[in-house]
Amino acid sequence: MLVPQARVTQVLTERARELGVEIRHGHELTGLSQDGEAVTATVTGPRGTYRLPARHLVGADGGRSLTRKLSGIAFPGVTRDDTVSRTADAHLPAEWMDEATGALHVPGYGVVPPFAHHRNERGVFVFATPPGRAPLVSTMEWKRAGDDGPMTLEEMRASASRVLGVDVPLTPPDGDGPHLLRRLTGGNTRLAERYRDRRVLLVGDAAHVHSAIGGPGLNLGLQDAINLGWKLAAEIRGDAPPGLLDTYESERRPAAHRVVVHTRAQSALIAPGGDVTALRELFAELLADRDTVRRIADLMAGSDVRYDMGTASPHPLTGRYAPDLVLRTGSGTVRLAALTVTARPLLLDLTEDGLPAGAVPEGVEVVTGRAPDAPATALLVRPDSYVAWASSSPHPDTAELDALRAAAGRWFGAVRTVPA
Ligand SMILES: Cc1cc2nc3c(=O)[nH]c(=O)nc-3n(C[C@H](O)[C@H](O)[C@H](O)COP(=O)(O)OP(=O)(O)OC[C@H]3O[C@@H](n4cnc5c(N)ncnc54)[C@H](O)[C@@H]3O)c2cc1C
């Protein structure tokens, strides 16, 4: 989904405020220290510097994270300086636009599809018309020193013309702006060595940076936050089972590594040169295979992540993101996505006769209903919507119910069952 980042920020801000979170704009972390009892942040705000003690501190402060640096967490990886990418809000000649397909017909060059990294042997050209804003033009070139000084629309035009090999006249977008006009040289691919230093944790770009190709960064960071949120809440409430907070790193760091792998692979596949063109031809052949498309799509969406739920012979859904089931319940039809808003452990009981009395672990909310096409008859869903346990049996047996209790104990510390 193409969602402007400002809209994402707005939605998250509204939700945080609804939950009573205080957001302090213009307050900058300048130092931190921690001991066995607390972590103390030094913060500089509009009225000066103050100290803020807390039980935990989560650094969501981006790729240059001071939290990460002050915590002594290494950020190994690679920096490349052989690419220059330029992006601008700009209009292209109206007669080049194909209203039906959204593609661009460039005289003397050919068709450029919209919203795609269009590569040729000279570089990459991107053209997009995001709804409600000016068209976006972007290029990527190799082994050219970036021009000095502020980026200009003329520089954007020259770069687009070099890549497509014909003149690409650009005109400024309408209105006062601010309009995007950006030049980036090189880029970093780095992954934090650790996601935690005692009471300090890292999420989002503070923990990982990589090429923006394919746009996986925001999803990756949001999934970090969702994974960490419920675990940290349990830790603060005092009912987290031992080791729960450590699973944040063991689950999320490999997910970031996957993104590092596919963004580096994509960067290699859009580089110039005949060898890369040959590799792309071969890759395109492989992508004619439906299973391969599925695999690559899941990789890029991050939906191929499977967490280790500690089960010897897990159900195929265990460890995976729960499918967004539509349940028919006594009080109407509801989607699983709507049920997970409370961020509580959920047991979906879709069995014909209902799970036996006493099978439900304490602290777990039970939703009873029907979902005829569901790939399971019962699922234990974590607050981050990952499946901790599942069964496909119409009547889960004692061994399965023991596994359900074990899963609840492992993730929620809830081992007692609700009396019949
Ligand atoms: C050119 C480009 C294009 C991209 N395109 C996409 C895309 O299409 N799709 C996608 O999903 N991702 C994209 N990304 C990546 C995406 O922008 C990031 O993954 C995402 O913004 C990371 O979010 P974050 O909250 O972790 O960090 P950031 O968005 O970097 O936010 C960090 C915040 O911390 C604040 N901060 C920093 N230091 C301090 C301090 N000491 N004290 C207090 N506050 C501090 C900063 O001001 C900032 O507000 C792109 C990135 C780039 C550079």
Side-chain angles (χ1 to χ4, degrees), residues 132-145:
R133 50 162 294 170
L136 196 83
V137 176
S138 185
T139 57
M140 196 187 275
E141 292 179 274
W142 272 257
K143 290 201 164 66
R144 264 191 82 91

Side-chain angles (χ1 to χ4, degrees), residues 175-197:
D176 293 334
H179 299 298
L180 187 60
L181 197 58
R182 178 179 64 206
R183 181 198 317 119
L184 290 175
T185 305
N188 283 294
T189 300
R190 294 179 180 274
L191 181 55
E193 193 177 50
R194 294 173 287 136
Y195 275 24
R196 179 180 181 186
D197 176 42

Side-chain angles (χ1 to χ4, degrees), residues 23-32 40-52 57 61 64-67 69-70:
I23 299 171
R24 296 184 191 173
H25 288 287
H27 293 245
E28 187 185 355
L29 176 88
T30 50
L32 71 83
T40 304
T42 307
V43 180
T44 303
R47 293 194 190 150
T49 298
Y50 60 97
R51 284 156 71 80
L52 193 60
L57 184 145
D61 46 352
R64 295 194 172 88
S65 171
L66 188 65
T67 309
K69 290 174 188 162
L70 292 175

Side-chain angles (χ1 to χ4, degrees), residues 396-413:
D397 61 18
T398 311
E400 282 187 291
L401 296 179
D402 284 348
L404 164 62
R405 277 186 285 274
R410 178 185 167 102
W411 296 109
F412 319 125

